[in-house]
Amino acid sequence: MSRMKLGVFGSAFDPPTLGHLDVLQQAATCHDDILLVPSAFHAFDKNPQPFSLRLQMLKCFIDDADVGCPLEVCDLEATLLEQNPDKPVYTYDLMEALARKYQGQAEISFIRGPDNARPETWKRFYKSKEIEERWPIFTAIERVAIRSSDVRRILESSKVADDDLQQGLNMLLPSVQAFIMNHNLYQTGNS
């Protein structure tokens, strides 16, 4: 019996976008199941929305996402952070913890988006060479050039009636759009 091919896709998911969806659609062709792992304490000094809100957005995202294999939100980074507060949870540590958890049950691979695949970014990853040596890496190509930072920038500078706001929301799945609007996230231009 062959082992399940389990993909691990980590990101801040702040918010999850159509760019993330495209990476997942590409990765689904090589995986039986994909774990979406939001960062609990980002190693690159990002200051995202609270972890609980990003988990909720990811659950909305999964409700709308059709990628060709099951998606599952994994909050393991929060557990790893509790074990070592004040220290970022590195991809290597996450992969190692997942390898222990799924030992013998799954072949685990790391899913890397095109932004993290750039050599100048990838070399900043803690133990990037060890990750490459220990786990298969699926690298998506850039087909949908949408970044969470673009969405945040547009939403933060827009008023509710602005066409720009709709442009930012159109970079998201409908359930994520609704979640953001219902929770008034990113829209500092609204008073």
Side-chain angles (χ1 to χ4, degrees):
M1 184 170 135
S2 64
R3 295 187 305 167
M4 172 180 66
K5 292 182 189 286
L6 180 63
V8 178
F9 185 38
S11 175
F13 295 112
D14 188 28
T17 69
L18 297 179
H20 291 116
L21 179 67
D22 184 57
V23 169
L24 291 165
Q25 288 170 334
Q26 292 177 55
T29 63
C30 302
H31 297 93
D32 299 315
D33 202 351
I34 297 175
L35 298 178
L36 304 181
V37 187
S39 55
F41 184 126
H42 205 282
F44 295 163
D45 294 326
K46 292 183 179 179
N47 189 19
Q49 289 289 326
F51 186 75
S52 62
L53 286 175
R54 290 182 290 120
L55 276 178
Q56 291 175 61
M57 278 192 281
L58 267 180
K59 290 175 182 172
C60 293
F61 178 85
I62 286 176
D63 288 345
D64 275 355
D66 182 13
V67 302
C69 77
L71 301 175
E72 182 181 334
V73 176
C74 175
D75 64 359
L76 180 58
E77 279 208 16
T79 303
L80 295 174
L81 182 61
E82 285 175 13
Q83 294 168 358
N84 285 301
D86 305 323
K87 177 187 172 240
V89 177
Y90 296 108
T91 298
Y92 181 87
D93 299 331
L94 170 70
M95 294 296 289
E96 196 170 60
L98 288 168
R100 283 191 305 270
K101 179 177 179 176
Y102 289 99
Q103 186 174 3
Q105 300 170 36
E107 177 186 322
I108 298 175
S109 66
F110 180 64
I111 298 169
R112 184 170 62 177
D115 51 344
N116 286 332
R118 290 190 308 251
E120 64 273 13
T121 303
W122 182 242
K123 72 180 180 185
R124 292 175 56 202
F125 274 65
Y126 174 70
K127 295 189 175 185
S128 59
K129 289 191 186 323
E130 288 90 336
I131 293 169
E132 291 173 343
E133 292 167 0
R134 189 154 171 205
W135 296 282
I137 297 178
F138 176 91
T139 302
I141 60 171
E142 181 133 84
R143 301 187 308 192
V144 178
I146 295 176
R147 304 273 184 279
S148 296
S149 57
D150 298 331
V151 174
R152 289 191 308 273
R153 183 178 28 73
I154 291 168
L155 296 181
E156 287 168 355
S157 64
S158 300
K159 302 270 190 239
V160 172
D162 285 350
D163 289 339
D164 286 345
L165 176 65
Q166 195 55 52
Q167 176 193 357
L169 292 173
N170 287 341
M171 297 177 176
L172 308 168
L173 288 171
S175 60
V176 177
Q177 291 176 17
F179 186 88
I180 287 171
M181 295 305 290
N182 290 338
H183 291 85
N184 199 31
L185 300 179
Y186 310 110
Q187 299 158 58
T188 56
N190 295 336
S191 307

